[in-house]
Amino acid sequence: MRWLTFSAFAVAAWVVQTTLAPRVAIGEARPDIVLIAAVFFGLYATRIDACLAGWILGLGADLMSVERLGLMAAVCCVTALAVSAIRDLVFLKNPATHFVVTFAAGSVAWGALATYRVAVYPGSVGGWWSGATEGAASTLYTAGCAVLIHGVLLRFNRAFGLHTSRYTHRATLTGGAR
């Protein structure tokens, strides 16, 4: 992976997360650009690169939040590793895959964060249910945005140094016959 290109992208993702995401929020739901990026690198980078990319993206998110340092770094790193573990089982360039994988990864991440917040702040208003409903709405919104963002990022796969396959779905399903 080309880390200089990744660094520029990571800074852009953090800026978009802090400036644009609150402006396009629907109620309490806002897209999580950092999670979308962690899922993207989990799908297309090597496992070590995906883990490191997720950790760096999460660390930047940690530095922009009020949560404990390392929480989002761990969540994004584990998310990228989990996604990289299933990438051989899915059609990588299918928009439905981008939606479903991002939704699943976001659901697990938000569930873990909601559980963490209830354990650390037991007297919080709304408790686990409030965090889970906000997380579900945000995860659905994030998964919808992932389809668009992954499509754009796939056009820059060479700039990132990622080696994505050039298969067509029809050729894969029919054994190469067109």
Side-chain angles (χ1 to χ4, degrees):
M1 192 150 95
R2 295 189 181 128
W3 290 103
L4 187 59
T5 306
F6 170 78
S7 299
F9 168 74
V11 169
W14 295 325
V15 168
V16 168
Q17 181 70 37
T18 56
T19 58
L20 184 63
R23 295 183 188 275
V24 296
I26 300 173
E28 291 294 317
R30 62 178 64 174
D32 190 349
I33 308 302
V34 174
L35 180 72
I36 292 171
V39 169
F40 176 79
F41 288 107
L43 283 172
Y44 297 105
T46 64
R47 286 181 198 232
I48 293 173
D49 288 346
C51 179
L52 188 56
W55 184 79
I56 291 170
L57 287 164
L59 183 63
D62 273 335
L63 293 174
M64 295 181 294
S65 73
V66 295
E67 293 292 342
R68 294 177 189 221
L69 186 64
L71 179 65
M72 289 305 298
V75 167
C76 287
C77 179
V78 169
T79 297
L81 279 175
V83 169
S84 70
I86 65 159
R87 71 174 162 216
D88 294 335
L89 305 173
V90 297
F91 284 114
L92 290 177
K93 293 186 179 180
N94 189 340
T97 299
H98 299 159
F99 181 86
V100 170
V101 170
T102 304
F103 184 77
S107 297
V108 172
W110 269 99
L113 287 173
T115 304
Y116 164 79
R117 288 180 181 141
V118 166
V120 173
Y121 311 110
S124 63
V125 176
W128 191 88
W129 183 251
S130 173
T133 55
E134 176 189 344
S138 291
T139 300
L140 189 60
Y141 193 11
T142 299
C145 292
V147 173
L148 301 172
I149 294 172
H150 284 191
V152 171
L153 291 176
L154 277 172
R155 297 191 181 273
F156 296 102
N157 64 347
R158 288 189 181 167
F160 287 117
L162 303 175
H163 303 288
T164 60
S165 62
R166 295 185 179 191
Y167 66 84
T168 61
H169 299 295
R170 192 170 92 191
T172 302
L173 294 174
T174 60
R178 291 187 186 238

